[in-house]
Amino acid sequence: MTSAERSDVVEMRVAPRDVDRHGRMFIASYISQAETALSNFWRTRPLVDDEPAYIATKASCSLHRALRHDDLARFSIRVSKIGGKSIGFVVTVEIGNELAAEVEIFWLAVRGEEQEPVPLPEDIRDWLYKYLD
């Protein structure tokens, strides 16, 4: 189950498929759910002509408190870095008022078959600044 409070905040319930035999959420599931929250956030960006593609170049997770099956977790998106050609995001995962995890994801703007890095469009950069930490 997923619900959105705002475009940069999504609540998700931990599904049985996302937990190990001890009932704790897999690290990969934190990253996967963070990517889902980021996708929801990204849909609200301004549309620009000839927008580049964005590829993930790094994803990591710092676990503070394990989530368990059926926990309701809040995933909040923050922009941590706006580079010339890249964007850094931090997705905080909370249960109640307790920090459960932080997921870092970096994207690179690319174009073409060779996926050559290209500058971020100005409209996208301006929009991202609203969410910069």
Side-chain angles (χ1 to χ4, degrees), residues 34-54:
E35 287 178 320
T36 299
L38 185 52
S39 176
N40 181 68
F41 168 74
W42 196 248
R43 280 194 291 276
T44 66
R45 76 189 182 287
L47 298 177
V48 295
D49 292 333
D50 197 30
E51 185 173 9
Y54 301 91

Side-chain angles (χ1 to χ4, degrees), residues 70-122:
D70 210 37
D71 279 348
L72 183 61
R74 187 175 51 258
F75 290 71
S76 302
I77 310 291
R78 296 186 335 259
V79 176
S80 61
K81 174 190 179 275
I82 302 171
K85 300 175 183 180
S86 62
I87 313 162
F89 300 96
V90 173
V91 182
T92 56
V93 183
E94 298 169 302
I95 183 163
N97 292 326
E98 188 177 356
L99 181 63
E102 293 174 287
V103 178
E104 249 188 321
I105 300 173
F106 288 92
W107 283 0
L108 180 65
V110 298
R111 188 168 281 124
E113 290 279 322
E114 295 80 30
Q115 296 188 334
E116 287 293 320
V118 296
L120 295 171
E122 284 303 315

